[in-house]
Amino acid sequence: MNSLIKTNDGSYSILNNSIDESYHSKHGAIAESLYVFIQQGFLQKHLLHKLSILEIGFGTGLNALLTIKNSTKEQSIYYESLEKHPLTEELYYSYCKTLNSENQPICQLLHEYSWEKSHHITPQFSFRKTRCNLQTFTPTNKFDIIYFDAFSPRKQPELWTKDIFSKLYSCLNQQGLLVTYCAKGQVKRDLKELGFHVETLPGPPNKKEMIRAIK
């Protein structure tokens, strides 16, 4: 079974006990998400009035929550998140309760929203959860940002292949970007061979590097 764990910045994550890996960094769940996906991803496109985001791995809903919290009324955002194995109701309620009182109801809504349908969290923010794996996902539109938040290549190697990144490349608009906490050399080489401009950036707490790849 999965279980709730406290990370080093005081925020919580979920440990997937079957593969012994947490959904976010044990060195700081919120710190990692804010740095990798918000600062190095979302905020890089803050000047776009219309923005589309694809997330690989909905998990706890933290990346979606932080994107909502950092969005403005000037941006129209479409956010789609893929998740093959959603958290149980008991576990996501326990996770949401670890957040502050302002963020708890948003987190619960994200988990409670029905799958395969678009929901307007605000007039400017449209959210959709798709229950499938990345291999069978058929996108219906192009994206400006991809949050690649799968489990690590060591634990989920089938999602870190050149074929997968080729599929994601085709999902992106020109100048679109993919961000991930991973900085594995083979991942960088595959992304470059596919035509991405790959940036190796300083990593989140206790991690040396991360990747931002631009189409």
Side-chain angles (χ1 to χ4, degrees):
M1 289 184 61
N2 295 341
S3 55
L4 196 66
I5 60 168
K6 191 173 185 178
T7 69
N8 290 351
D9 68 354
S11 62
Y12 284 77
S13 186
I14 303 293
L15 179 66
N16 184 322
N17 289 293
S18 64
I19 61 173
D20 191 29
E21 183 151 298
S22 58
Y23 281 62
H24 297 283
S25 172
K26 293 180 180 180
H27 302 288
I30 288 180
E32 178 192 46
S33 289
L34 279 172
Y35 179 77
V36 174
F37 301 107
I38 304 304
Q39 183 177 333
Q40 303 298 348
F42 178 64
L43 294 181
Q44 302 298 312
K45 296 290 185 180
H46 71 282
L47 295 179
L48 291 182
H49 294 296
K50 191 174 183 181
L51 185 65
S52 55
I53 301 170
L54 174 64
E55 178 184 32
I56 310 304
F58 176 65
T60 63
L62 179 60
N63 295 332
L65 170 64
L66 293 176
T67 303
I68 294 165
K69 299 296 291 184
N70 283 275
S71 63
T72 69
K73 293 181 179 179
E74 286 70 43
Q75 278 188 311
S76 175
I77 298 172
Y78 172 75
Y79 190 110
E80 183 164 0
S81 188
L82 308 187
E83 180 58 64
K84 178 65 174 177
H85 301 290
L87 297 179
T88 64
E89 182 176 343
E90 179 182 4
L91 193 53
Y92 76 65
Y93 269 113
S94 295
Y95 172 77
C96 292
K97 287 178 181 177
T98 70
L99 302 171
N100 64 39
S101 58
E102 181 182 352
N103 291 334
Q104 284 182 27
I106 303 172
C107 180
Q108 290 179 11
L109 272 178
L110 291 171
H111 284 278
E112 290 170 354
Y113 277 140
S114 55
W115 295 82
E116 324 304 337
K117 293 182 180 180
S118 293
H119 305 271
H120 276 89
I121 297 173
T122 71
Q124 296 82 21
F125 199 103
S126 176
F127 173 76
R128 177 186 176 93
K129 293 185 298 185
T130 300
R131 189 169 183 176
C132 71
N133 59 37
L134 181 52
Q135 294 92 326
T136 59
F137 173 60
T138 302
T140 56
N141 62 305
K142 297 275 191 175
F143 298 91
D144 300 297
I145 303 173
I146 295 175
Y147 294 168
F148 197 80
D149 200 15
F151 289 119
S152 70
R154 186 167 57 90
K155 301 291 187 176
Q156 209 169 28
E158 68 276 11
L159 293 187
W160 298 85
T161 67
K162 195 172 180 180
D163 285 344
I164 288 291
F165 289 123
S166 177
K167 182 175 187 175
L168 295 178
Y169 184 89
S170 67
C171 290
L172 281 170
N173 288 318
Q174 202 62 35
Q175 297 301 311
L177 55 88
L178 178 151
V179 284
T180 181
Y181 62 87
C182 178
K184 189 176 179 181
Q186 187 59 54
V187 172
K188 295 179 191 177
R189 290 190 289 273
D190 288 344
L191 291 170
K192 287 177 181 177
E193 287 181 17
L194 290 167
F196 280 101
H197 170 69
V198 176
E199 298 178 330
T200 302
L201 305 173
N206 212 53
K207 187 167 179 62
K208 186 178 179 181
E209 296 174 341
M210 62 161 283
I211 292 172
R212 180 167 63 211
I214 305 168
K215 182 174 179 178

